[in-house]
Amino acid sequence: MLPKRSSVADWYDKVSSFNIETLFVRPRQPGPPRSVFVNQDLPPDYYDDKNRLKKEHIYCTNQVITSKYTLITFVPRNLLEQFRRVANVFFLAIAILQFFPIFPTVSPGLVILPLLIVLGITALKDAYEDIKRHQSDRSVNYSHTRVLAGAGWQNPNPMRGKSRTFVPALPTSFRVGRKKKNPVSVDVVDAMEQESAVPPEALPTPQDDTIEFDEDESPVEEDTGGIFHHSDKGGRAHWKQTIWEDIRVGDFVKIMDNEPFPADILICATSEDENVAYVETKNLDGETNLKSRSASPVLTHLRSARACADPRNSFRIDCDRPDTNLYKVNAAVVLPDGEKSSVDAQMVLLRGTVLRNTGWVLGVVIFTGQDAKIVLNSGGAPSKRSKVERQMNPQVFVNLVILAAMAIVCGIVDAVLEQRYYPRNAPWTYADDQGNNNPHVNGVITWAFALITFQNIIPISLYISLEAVRTFQALFIYFDHEMVYKKTNQPTLARSWNLSDDLGQIEYIFSDKTGTLTQNVMVFRQCSVGGRAYKGDSPSDVDITKVGILEEPEDLHLSHSSGSHSPSGKHSIQDPSENVPDPLAADGVKLSDHVLTHFHDSLLSADIASAVGAELGASSAEHARRLNGFFSTLALCHTALISVDPHTNTIEYKAQSPDEAALVQAAADVGFIFRGRDREILTLQTPFSEQLEKYELLNILEFSSSRRRMSVVVRRLDGDDERLFLLTKGADNVIFERLGLGHEDLKVATEQHLGEFASEGLRTLTLAYKAIPEDFYQAWNKRCNEATVALDDREGKVDAVYEEIENDLQLLGATAIEDRLQDGVPETIADLKEAGIKIWVATGDKLETAIAIGHSTNLIGREANIIIVRGGGEGNKPIYTQMVNAVEQFFPESGILDEQGVAVQDQTVTTPTGGAYPLQRVNTGVSELVGHNNGERAGGYVLVIDGGALTDALSDERHKQLLLGLAMQCEGVICCRVSPVQKALIVNLVKDGLGVMTLAIGDGANDVSMIQAADVGVGISGEEGLQAVNSSDYAIAQFRFLKRLLLVHGHWSYARNGNMIVNFFYKNIICIGVLWWFQIYCGWSSQYAFEYTYLLFWNSFWTIAPVIAIGLFDRIADDHVLMALPELYRPSREGQYFNLRLFLIYMMDGVVQSAIVFFLILYAYDSTTSRTDGYAVYQYEFAVTMALSSTMAANLFNGLNTAVWTGWVFFAVALGPFLIYIYTAFYSAIKPGWFSTPIYGNNAYLWPSAYFWLCVFLTTILALLPRYVAKAYQFGFNPSDIDRVRLLHKLDPNRDFTKDRVGGVSALGRAPSRRRSIFGKRQPSIAAARPSNASRTDMSTGMRSVNYGFDFAAEDNSVALQRMQSNLSERHLRGPDKRRKHSLLGIPSTIRQSLRRKKPPMESIPNPNWIPGDPEPIPETELQREPSPESSYSRS
């Protein structure tokens, strides 16, 4: 059942989640479509009636500010953020109250000082962090780039003004990022001096290092005059060094190799002859592979500053409105004659990317600043508050209510007593007849004064102490050498210091797959060609595959150079003396980046050898054609580039993704070598030809997430053979839908092979082709060009045109690539599951691959039942019906369908004849039907849902409630084919729908929304980009470090902080309790029992050290124990270390102990006087005794609640009593001649008094006795799992707890016995009961099948995991779990009466580690569950 929230809770959530930022930052709406004018004047319609520019045509500056504050907004905004804490508001009100003279205090300034210190320290911390952000912004905004200037060129596009920054402007000579440039050459200066048409003052001098000229530009005389943009000088067109924030829309910029792009830029020309640029996009998508970008074909003549500034080169760029899609650009270049040329994402360089292996790039700025795509996607990180801090506000409210009640009682009773005794002339009512001292209004004054007296019930120092403790906890994480990635020496970094305790309460983990669970390193494993599967031989350690060298056809001989083929950054026109590697002369192919091994298969090599010599009419000719077509498609259908290593003379492929590199690499390994691209000519070497084959690349039909395929149109250049071919690769279901008729046997065989590949966790791809008639292509190409220049619905029109040609394909085969798992992923996921954390994986892979990855990562157990919900297919049941059927079939007693909002209406889908929905064949065509035992296996349930189904399931509240209810019954969920937006929606669904703590982990820009949506975001900072890390709260280098981060540091931090907070409340309530009991004897006048300085220093010196020691040094258990026994995370995950119940228990402890301290000391001193002179004791004589007793009790009570006593804990517990004793001795000895003290001479009566020493020690012992007895009873008769483990560790410090995992924590120390079921019968082990395989049910078709998982750990030569699944996994087998017995403090325990002695069972052999009184343990031989050889899974 889903938890139901009250209206009060909803109201509180709205108030607590109010975002202060909305008061200071206006949400900026995306701008309208724009036109960028180059060498043209603005049209008249850009101006209004008053000849002023319209606002929609004024573009934002290129200044990017990520900081939070300015000089003007810092004080009000920071104060508003700090006063979101209820305690700060309360203390401000109390401080203001004490400024009125009617409330006597030591000093109003002294009273408000603690609040000012807390606010000041927090403000300084926030200011320091924001100054760092401002400095970072300045270093970016003051980076330099080259902008066109001179020759009368001016930019007509209007821009907004820049904002003032927080950091004062630095002198020009000290600007960050300033690079020294080489001075202008003497030859250029001499040439400039000879230009008589240019005035001398307009000529740049050799010392002016901010101006550069194109190297290949000859000095010619140019006209000058006009207003020059970026320069007050005329003369020749040149490039002027300009800071980024001064760049404008419409500026020409020149970017050199290895420089970042300052804005979104349309490419005009590059240093390469093909006008291709190579960029690194890891800041955008986390990928380190170089991407190629090409120039707009109508602007390639703009290759110099002079050409760009020439007024004759005028044009207009029409752009769509700015949007967040990184892979979509809708624009067109409009020439003066009206001709349009389309602009897409391949022609635009985005801000944040870096130019690589290209000499230079010239381009026009089209989007700046807040309109740039990376800025639109970055969105400010949300302000996250920890769950502990959110829970503290209600507890502070409770204390406020208690304080208000205490003040009201004091006010009412004081007013009643004054009005009763005033007529009787009571001495203490003297002067009550004055105008400012009226018995009828004194109750109100007493009420206000009571708020001041008891204000310490709200611990203001708690917040600053908690901030300090969390800072040190972040440092503990950073310096933990167990979480340092040795390969890169990358430690774990806590980017948000206030979320450390949230790590200990995680209930759901949402993980990306590629790059997070996997290494993003590819291995080409298998392939299916013409219905034959090639499994591949064992990989070798050879780094280079040797290949032969063929000659080019004489009639098609084309010039080649490294500039035309590789991202070398050099011109294709080379000096003949230079030794430039020729890709046609390379004699080998080396491994590409992110590709581990070469692909070799002896059977495939034999088939290719026989196919080469096959005669045309032979039976093997058909398979020969398919082999040739299959690997030719692999070698041609891609956008990979090549480079030649000059040292080894080998080819290396540079692809945009590791998958693509692995495919081209595999084709080269079997003899189909892609030799490079010269302009639009592709060169291919194949075993079937004695000469190099040439293909003209006509069209690239690019891959997209919606198309899930890529195609190229090529023309064969082989003399008379100039046929056109469409070569396609893509997802299997997409390709199969577009196949032509015939060859059904080939489709069935390929479909079967695809299922085998996917079940082994391999990423599959299907290849197909078709021949295209010339006349059809010409007509289609014309429609394609028209669609690509359309500004309205360009994507839809282009996709429609692509659909026209991508049909009636001929199937060639399929490939299977392995994406290696990161080290320790299966073990980590298994341990996190054992800790009770539910794990959801979101991936873009196909459903079968996602299931296989689930098996290999231990997310899906070998006994698991898989529930599949999928959408998008014709004839599939509606998504709602699929989920309802899953609930009815597998969870009929869950009550999900009875909940409000999920009530089932008539959702039954029937056939036209009224019969039940028939079983259908799954469209991937894998696996085989099985028996009726699905859903009865012991491994629990895992839900697998695809992106199409999620679109419907997240469409309305009714679908969401049902999806959430179904997912809650499963131990894991896998979401496949999902988009970045869907990832964030899934996180919000669980976080908001269940009110649970969530963690999201990813490594790329597509994971940012998910990371920001979760309570805790973790970014992978290994070898990929930093986009996810920059948006995360914690940065780790490997997924396996997540286990230690949660189970150790999260558990420690939450236990420490929770224990620290409740002890903080306790130590304040014991002090306030003494003051409260004193009101009984002072007429409820709100007077202090203590001398004021004792109360003032209560939180500063007397009792602060032990709670800080708890937050820093307490350990609920040692780290190796927590790592070895993940089940110990349960009490932390369930929030048992800090909750309202625990808070009230500690508050009651404080009340009881304050009563013991006050009344025992009061009545001791109220008896016979302790003074030798016979005089009665003074108030501060016994009050100081109360203060010392309270301090002793508070410090020792905090120590009693500390699990580990280190030297620092001993020091902290002893510090408070030591300080208060020293203070009392010195403060009592201060003579009135120095300054007046109310306790002068008190030490003459305290130290010799027997009452003093008796009361201090007796009250301390009696105050601690209840908690000590409760803890002893709990440990002796109802210990928790933590208690049990700590005892075993105490008895045997060298104990290896990894050997105690079998059977769980509850089996530790128990005597051997046979495993019994809940009915008391012996239960055989699960492994022996049924084979080790999982069943699955596809709810869209009703088909049931066996699913064979593949373990990547076995493939990586690691130890196979033989662990039990979590208790949740076997829920279905055992039936409902019994409630565990609760201790006095409400902490569930897995054992009962562990220390009570009783005889061991007669049939059992005594166990030396057995703790008497324990229930019988589970024998290791029965729970190890070693699989039999026939049930193990390995690669065939």
Side-chain angles (χ1 to χ4, degrees):
M1 300 291 290
L2 299 179
K4 297 182 179 179
R5 300 176 59 83
S6 64
S7 58
V8 177
D10 292 336
W11 174 85
Y12 174 78
D13 288 342
K14 291 180 181 179
V15 174
S16 61
S17 61
F18 174 72
N19 190 1
I20 300 294
E21 187 176 356
T22 58
L23 300 177
F24 297 91
V25 180
R26 294 181 180 179
R28 184 177 180 275
Q29 300 298 327
R34 65 178 60 184
S35 294
V36 181
F37 297 89
V38 180
N39 289 317
Q40 293 182 3
D41 295 329
L42 298 179
D45 58 358
Y46 270 46
Y47 299 88
D48 58 14
D49 297 337
K50 297 182 179 180
N51 202 31
R52 295 178 301 187
L53 280 168
K54 297 179 180 178
K55 291 184 178 181
E56 60 267 22
H57 300 307
I58 302 177
Y59 309 126
C60 66
T61 176
N62 200 42
Q63 183 185 46
V64 175
I65 299 177
T66 62
S67 53
K68 185 186 298 184
Y69 306 110
T70 66
L71 285 174
I72 298 175
T73 64
F74 176 74
V75 173
R77 183 170 180 177
N78 187 263
L79 288 178
L80 281 175
E81 290 178 347
Q82 293 201 56
F83 281 105
R84 293 174 65 182
R85 294 172 171 171
V86 179
N88 287 347
V89 177
F90 166 76
F91 278 105
L92 177 63
I94 293 298
I96 293 174
L97 199 63
Q98 295 181 71
F99 274 88
F100 293 94
I102 196 172
F103 304 108
T105 57
V106 176
S107 169
L110 186 63
V111 171
I112 202 174
L113 183 61
L115 178 62
L116 294 179
I117 291 175
V118 171
L119 296 178
I121 292 176
T122 305
L124 287 175
K125 178 181 73 71
D126 294 340
Y128 174 77
E129 293 176 351
D130 205 60
I131 287 175
K132 288 296 183 182
R133 285 191 286 264
H134 275 282
Q135 291 175 345
S136 176
D137 291 342
R138 186 175 180 82
S139 67
V140 173
N141 291 329
Y142 274 75
S143 300
H144 286 73
T145 195
R146 301 160 190 80
V147 177
L148 179 66
W153 185 86
Q154 57 183 341
N155 184 356
N157 300 281
M159 305 289 290
R160 295 191 183 98
K162 296 186 295 183
S163 301
R164 295 185 179 272
T165 59
F166 186 86
V167 180
L170 298 176
T172 305
S173 58
F174 295 102
R175 285 176 180 173
V176 179
R178 181 71 175 269
K179 296 182 179 180
K180 295 293 183 181
K181 301 298 178 181
N182 294 327
V184 182
S185 65
V186 178
D187 295 337
V188 174
V189 175
D190 293 339
M192 292 169 57
E193 291 176 348
Q194 295 173 5
E195 296 180 1
S196 57
V198 182
E201 60 269 17
L203 295 176
T205 63
Q207 289 77 24
D208 190 352
D209 60 354
T210 64
I211 293 178
E212 296 181 10
F213 294 93
D214 294 320
E215 295 179 358
D216 57 348
E217 183 177 329
S218 58
V220 295
E221 183 176 336
E222 297 184 5
D223 295 334
T224 61
I227 300 175
F228 302 119
H229 174 51
H230 292 307
S231 177
D232 57 354
K233 300 178 181 180
R236 295 173 49 203
H238 56 268
W239 302 105
K240 181 177 178 62
Q241 289 286 334
T242 305
I243 58 175
W244 278 21
E245 66 178 21
D246 287 341
I247 293 176
R248 303 172 56 185
V249 172
D251 275 348
F252 281 100
V253 293
K254 182 177 183 180
I255 310 298
M256 307 302 289
D257 191 21
N258 296 322
E259 291 183 352
F261 297 104
D264 292 352
I265 300 169
L266 172 63
I267 305 176
C268 295
T270 76
S271 58
E272 306 297 316
D273 280 352
E274 300 82 9
N275 286 303
V276 175
Y278 308 106
V279 296
E280 183 181 73
T281 63
K282 69 177 183 180
N283 289 331
L284 294 180
D285 52 22
E287 296 182 2
T288 57
N289 306 84
L290 296 184
K291 311 291 193 304
S292 64
R293 298 292 184 264
S294 56
S296 172
V298 297
L299 301 179
T300 54
H301 60 287
L302 303 177
R303 301 184 61 86
S304 65
R306 184 173 57 186
C308 295
D310 191 343
R312 294 170 295 183
N313 294 326
S314 63
F315 56 92
R316 183 182 82 244
I317 307 173
D318 292 337
C319 307
D320 202 351
R321 67 176 65 247
D323 62 14
T324 58
N325 193 335
L326 298 173
Y327 311 104
K328 168 189 170 185
V329 174
N330 282 347
V333 177
V334 183
L335 301 179
D337 58 0
E339 179 186 353
K340 285 187 176 182
S341 175
S342 66
V343 173
D344 56 24
Q346 283 295 112
M347 303 177 187
V348 175
L349 302 169
L350 300 182
R351 176 176 179 144
T353 58
V354 181
L355 185 66
R356 299 293 190 195
N357 299 331
T358 306
W360 51 262
V361 165
L362 265 60
V364 180
V365 176
I366 56 176
F367 293 110
T368 55
Q370 298 297 324
D371 291 333
K373 288 186 178 293
I374 188 174
V375 180
L376 290 173
N377 276 276
S378 60
S383 178
K384 296 183 180 181
R385 300 173 65 201
S386 69
K387 183 180 179 180
V388 167
E389 187 172 342
R390 296 196 302 267
Q391 287 177 315
M392 282 172 57
N393 268 352
Q395 296 176 2
V396 172
F397 273 119
V398 171
N399 278 10
L400 282 175
V401 171
I402 296 174
L403 175 62
M406 295 167 67
I408 291 172
V409 169
C410 287
I412 293 175
V413 176
D414 179 72
V416 171
L417 292 179
E418 286 201 41
Q419 294 179 41
R420 177 184 297 175
Y421 289 101
Y422 176 72
R424 303 180 187 180
N425 295 322
W428 51 275
T429 61
Y430 176 75
D432 276 4
D433 57 348
Q434 302 297 322
N436 60 349
N437 196 355
N438 192 321
H440 296 283
V441 298
N442 278 353
V444 178
I445 304 301
T446 303
W447 169 82
F449 193 77
L451 296 178
I452 300 173
T453 301
F454 305 124
Q455 63 178 302
N456 271 8
I457 196 173
I458 311 295
I460 188 173
S461 56
L462 171 59
Y463 290 101
I464 197 68
S465 301
L466 195 58
E467 291 291 337
V469 165
R470 285 172 170 166
T471 300
F472 279 97
Q473 290 170 354
L475 293 176
F476 293 158
I477 293 174
Y478 178 80
F479 289 112
D480 188 349
H481 68 278
E482 297 290 337
M483 293 195 298
V484 175
Y485 188 36
K486 301 300 189 296
K487 182 178 179 180
T488 59
N489 200 29
Q490 173 69 43
T492 297
L493 179 64
R495 295 173 54 83
S496 298
W497 292 359
N498 63 329
L499 299 178
S500 57
D501 38 54
D502 280 352
L503 294 172
Q505 306 172 76
I506 299 301
E507 299 176 71
Y508 284 80
I509 292 177
F510 299 85
S511 175
D512 178 41
K513 184 188 75 68
T514 303
T516 302
L517 300 179
T518 61
Q519 301 179 25
N520 205 22
V521 173
M522 304 300 171
V523 178
F524 189 97
R525 284 293 185 194
Q526 305 177 33
C527 62
S528 172
V529 184
R532 298 184 188 179
Y534 300 98
K535 302 291 187 178
D537 299 334
S538 298
S540 63
D541 297 333
V542 179
D543 183 58
I544 298 175
T545 299
K546 291 296 182 178
V547 296
I549 301 177
L550 302 182
E551 295 182 357
E552 294 185 88
E554 294 182 0
D555 54 341
L556 293 173
H557 187 83
L558 296 171
S559 61
H560 294 270
S561 66
S562 68
S564 63
H565 290 81
S566 67
S568 62
K570 299 181 180 179
H571 294 284
S572 292
I573 304 175
Q574 303 289 347
D575 189 286
S577 61
E578 294 184 10
N579 185 16
V580 180
D582 186 359
L584 302 184
D587 59 358
V589 179
K590 66 183 299 186
L591 286 176
S592 305
D593 292 336
H594 300 282
V595 178
L596 285 184
T597 62
H598 292 280
F599 177 71
H600 297 287
D601 185 278
S602 54
L603 177 60
L604 176 61
S605 300
D607 285 353
I608 292 178
S610 61
V612 171
E615 297 182 0
L616 185 61
S619 57
S620 59
E622 180 67 20
H623 189 62
R625 286 194 298 270
R626 296 192 187 280
L627 284 172
N628 188 21
F630 179 87
F631 287 104
S632 295
T633 301
L634 277 186
L636 295 175
C637 185
H638 57 79
T639 58
L641 311 169
I642 73 168
S643 63
V644 179
D645 188 338
H647 301 289
T648 61
N649 195 32
T650 55
I651 294 174
E652 181 180 1
Y653 295 110
K654 304 286 187 180
Q656 299 190 24
S657 69
D659 306 61
E660 192 169 69
L663 294 175
V664 184
Q665 180 88 56
D669 291 337
V670 299
F672 291 77
I673 306 161
F674 175 61
R675 287 283 184 175
R677 172 181 171 181
D678 184 3
R679 300 180 184 272
E680 304 305 327
I681 305 301
L682 308 178
T683 305
L684 177 65
Q685 175 181 339
T686 75
F688 292 87
S689 176
E690 296 180 356
Q691 292 183 331
L692 297 176
E693 298 180 0
K694 300 288 184 178
Y695 295 86
E696 181 184 2
L697 179 62
L698 301 177
N699 302 88
I700 299 178
L701 285 58
E702 295 180 356
F703 174 88
S704 68
S705 58
S706 59
R707 284 169 36 80
R708 291 187 293 170
R709 63 189 181 276
M710 172 193 175
S711 302
V712 295
V713 179
V714 297
R715 184 191 302 274
R716 178 76 179 271
L717 301 178
D718 188 12
D720 297 334
D721 186 3
E722 294 189 356
R723 289 177 296 170
L724 296 171
F725 294 97
L726 174 73
L727 310 179
T728 304
K729 63 181 180 183
D732 57 338
N733 56 336
V734 174
I735 299 300
F736 272 73
E737 291 173 356
R738 288 160 176 78
L739 294 179
L741 300 177
H743 302 287
E744 296 300 325
D745 54 344
L746 174 60
K747 298 177 184 178
V748 172
T750 305
E751 198 174 20
Q752 180 179 357
H753 293 156
L754 280 168
E756 295 174 359
F757 298 159
S759 66
E760 295 179 6
L762 305 179
R763 305 175 67 166
T764 60
L765 207 63
T766 307
L767 277 65
Y769 83 104
K770 80 169 186 179
I772 308 173
E774 181 70 31
D775 54 348
F776 173 82
Y777 170 75
Q778 295 299 334
W780 175 86
N781 191 45
K782 182 178 180 181
R783 295 191 299 271
C784 183
N785 291 333
E786 294 173 354
T788 54
V789 298
L791 290 181
D792 298 331
D793 190 26
R794 176 182 295 182
E795 289 78 10
K797 294 178 180 178
V798 169
D799 286 346
V801 174
Y802 287 174
E803 287 285 350
E804 295 179 9
I805 199 171
E806 291 177 325
N807 52 49
D808 292 331
L809 304 177
Q810 299 295 317
L811 181 64
L812 291 172
T815 62
I817 298 176
E818 176 188 344
D819 190 355
R820 287 285 182 91
L821 289 181
Q822 289 188 11
D823 297 336
V825 167
E827 294 88 342
T828 300
I829 290 182
D831 288 339
L832 293 175
K833 287 172 58 180
E834 190 172 344
I837 301 175
K838 290 190 176 182
I839 301 176
W840 292 32
V841 173
T843 175
D845 285 329
K846 59 176 293 187
L847 185 141
E848 295 293 340
T849 304
I851 292 176
I853 292 295
H855 278 287
S856 63
T857 57
N858 278 346
L859 183 62
I860 303 177
R862 295 192 181 277
E863 294 287 330
N865 303 280
I866 304 173
I867 303 172
I868 300 175
V869 177
R870 73 167 88 196
E874 295 184 4
N876 285 354
K877 298 179 183 178
I879 304 305
Y880 193 86
T881 302
Q882 294 184 44
M883 293 190 292
V884 168
N885 291 347
V887 173
E888 291 177 341
Q889 181 175 351
F890 301 109
F891 315 108
E893 299 179 359
S894 62
I896 297 175
L897 301 181
D898 299 329
E899 295 178 4
Q900 184 178 3
V902 191
V904 181
Q905 300 175 358
D906 187 13
Q907 292 285 337
T908 305
V909 180
T910 59
T911 62
T913 59
Y917 201 94
L919 293 179
Q920 295 183 355
R921 180 179 181 82
V922 178
N923 55 6
T924 52
V926 298
S927 305
E928 58 188 51
L929 299 179
V930 298
H932 58 276
N933 61 343
N934 182 57
E936 299 179 0
R937 301 186 182 275
Y941 296 87
V942 175
L943 174 65
V944 181
I945 183 169
D946 66 7
L950 275 175
T951 301
D952 293 340
L954 300 173
S955 59
D956 56 45
E957 290 300 322
R958 189 160 167 262
H959 281 76
K960 288 181 181 179
Q961 291 284 343
L962 182 55
L963 172 62
L964 198 56
L966 177 60
M968 285 177 61
Q969 302 299 317
C970 302
E971 73 168 71
V973 177
I974 299 177
C975 306
C976 55
R977 300 295 195 193
V978 293
S979 65
V981 174
Q982 286 179 323
K983 292 182 179 181
L985 293 176
I986 294 167
V987 174
N988 288 325
L989 172 69
V990 175
K991 184 177 71 171
D992 300 335
L994 301 180
V996 296
M997 294 296 294
T998 58
L999 179 146
I1001 179 171
D1003 72 320
N1006 59 336
D1007 303 315
V1008 169
S1009 58
M1010 175 177 69
I1011 288 173
Q1012 292 182 341
D1015 293 292
V1016 180
V1018 178
I1020 301 290
S1021 61
E1023 302 176 9
E1024 301 297 339
L1026 299 177
Q1027 189 74 5
V1029 170
N1030 292 337
S1031 303
S1032 66
D1033 304 305
Y1034 292 88
I1036 61 178
Q1038 292 277 286
F1039 182 84
R1040 67 177 185 271
F1041 296 147
L1042 185 64
K1043 174 186 174 183
R1044 186 173 179 86
L1045 185 65
L1046 298 185
L1047 303 190
V1048 177
H1049 290 282
H1051 197 165
W1052 277 353
S1053 298
Y1054 176 48
R1056 288 167 174 171
N1057 294 352
N1059 195 16
M1060 170 186 170
I1061 293 170
V1062 293
N1063 277 279
F1064 221 110
F1065 280 115
Y1066 150 80
K1067 75 181 184 63
N1068 278 27
I1069 205 67
I1070 188 176
C1071 172
I1072 297 301
V1074 172
L1075 300 182
W1076 171 253
W1077 301 125
F1078 181 69
Q1079 302 308 308
I1080 301 174
Y1081 303 95
C1082 69
W1084 302 90
S1085 59
S1086 302
Q1087 294 301 312
Y1088 296 111
F1090 303 151
E1091 195 274 331
Y1092 184 72
T1093 58
Y1094 283 90
L1095 191 63
L1096 185 65
F1097 296 142
W1098 179 264
N1099 283 322
S1100 303
F1101 298 107
W1102 312 150
T1103 60
I1104 190 65
V1107 289
I1108 295 294
I1110 290 175
L1112 293 180
F1113 307 114
D1114 195 18
R1115 291 197 308 274
I1116 200 71
D1118 284 355
D1119 57 343
H1120 70 277
V1121 177
L1122 297 176
M1123 290 288 285
L1125 300 173
E1127 191 179 341
L1128 296 177
Y1129 187 76
R1130 178 182 55 80
S1132 180
R1133 172 176 52 83
E1134 294 175 353
Q1136 295 182 15
Y1137 297 127
F1138 184 68
N1139 49 54
L1140 187 59
R1141 182 174 182 273
L1142 204 59
F1143 163 77
L1144 295 176
I1145 290 174
Y1146 275 77
M1147 293 284 288
M1148 188 58 63
D1149 259 323
V1151 172
V1152 172
Q1153 294 182 28
S1154 68
I1156 293 175
V1157 170
F1158 178 83
F1159 289 106
L1160 192 134
I1161 294 177
L1162 175 67
Y1163 287 114
Y1165 275 88
D1166 195 39
S1167 59
T1168 304
T1169 179
S1170 63
R1171 293 189 178 185
T1172 57
D1173 57 8
Y1175 284 98
V1177 296
Y1178 180 49
Q1179 173 188 339
Y1180 287 147
E1181 186 176 336
F1182 69 84
V1184 170
T1185 306
M1186 291 180 184
L1188 269 67
S1189 297
S1190 301
T1191 301
M1192 291 281 291
N1195 282 268
L1196 290 175
F1197 183 84
N1198 294 156
L1200 187 63
N1201 293 318
T1202 305
V1204 176
W1205 277 66
T1206 62
W1208 287 107
V1209 175
F1210 276 102
F1211 171 78
V1213 172
L1215 181 63
F1218 173 78
L1219 290 178
I1220 195 172
Y1221 272 92
I1222 297 298
Y1223 175 80
T1224 301
F1226 281 94
Y1227 192 51
S1228 302
I1230 296 176
K1231 297 179 179 181
W1234 299 352
F1235 58 88
S1236 176
T1237 62
I1239 65 170
Y1240 170 69
N1242 208 13
N1243 51 4
Y1245 302 105
L1246 283 179
W1247 313 132
S1249 173
Y1251 284 176
F1252 171 76
W1253 298 106
L1254 174 66
C1255 289
V1256 168
F1257 290 103
L1258 182 61
T1259 55
T1260 300
I1261 294 173
L1262 292 178
L1264 299 179
L1265 190 60
R1267 172 52 65 105
Y1268 178 81
V1269 172
K1271 293 177 80 69
Y1273 175 84
Q1274 179 193 355
F1275 186 79
F1277 297 95
N1278 194 19
S1280 66
D1281 294 342
I1282 295 291
D1283 293 332
R1284 174 190 292 275
V1285 169
R1286 287 169 57 194
L1287 176 60
L1288 293 174
H1289 190 221
K1290 178 71 174 179
L1291 297 176
D1292 183 9
N1294 298 320
R1295 184 185 182 97
D1296 185 5
F1297 284 93
T1298 58
K1299 298 179 180 179
D1300 298 316
R1301 300 190 56 154
V1302 178
V1305 176
S1306 59
L1308 286 177
R1310 296 180 178 178
S1313 71
R1314 295 293 296 171
R1315 184 179 184 182
R1316 299 181 183 274
S1317 69
I1318 58 175
F1319 303 105
K1321 298 179 181 180
R1322 291 185 179 179
Q1323 179 180 327
S1325 63
I1326 297 175
R1330 51 178 57 94
S1332 179
N1333 51 34
S1335 65
R1336 73 179 187 185
T1337 300
D1338 190 335
M1339 304 311 300
S1340 66
T1341 60
M1343 192 190 80
R1344 296 174 177 174
S1345 60
V1346 174
N1347 190 269
Y1348 297 92
F1350 177 79
D1351 194 346
F1352 269 98
E1355 182 66 24
D1356 291 336
N1357 298 320
S1358 61
V1359 179
L1361 297 177
Q1362 304 298 341
R1363 298 175 178 167
M1364 291 183 60
Q1365 297 300 319
S1366 63
N1367 292 333
L1368 181 62
S1369 302
E1370 301 184 2
R1371 176 186 63 249
H1372 188 73
L1373 179 63
R1374 295 198 312 263
D1377 291 339
K1378 294 183 178 180
R1379 299 289 296 178
R1380 294 176 177 174
K1381 185 177 179 180
H1382 285 68
S1383 69
L1384 177 65
L1385 300 182
I1387 302 177
S1389 174
T1390 58
I1391 63 175
R1392 294 173 295 178
Q1393 305 182 18
S1394 62
L1395 299 181
R1396 184 179 298 173
R1397 296 278 180 178
K1398 72 176 183 179
K1399 294 181 180 180
M1402 294 296 295
E1403 70 275 12
S1404 301
I1405 301 175
N1407 187 342
N1409 293 326
W1410 170 50
I1411 300 177
D1414 284 347
E1416 298 173 345
I1418 303 172
E1420 295 185 2
T1421 56
E1422 196 151 352
L1423 289 183
Q1424 187 67 23
R1425 292 176 57 193
E1426 292 286 352
S1428 58
E1430 58 273 12
S1431 64
S1432 299
Y1433 292 89
S1434 59
R1435 185 180 301 280
S1436 58

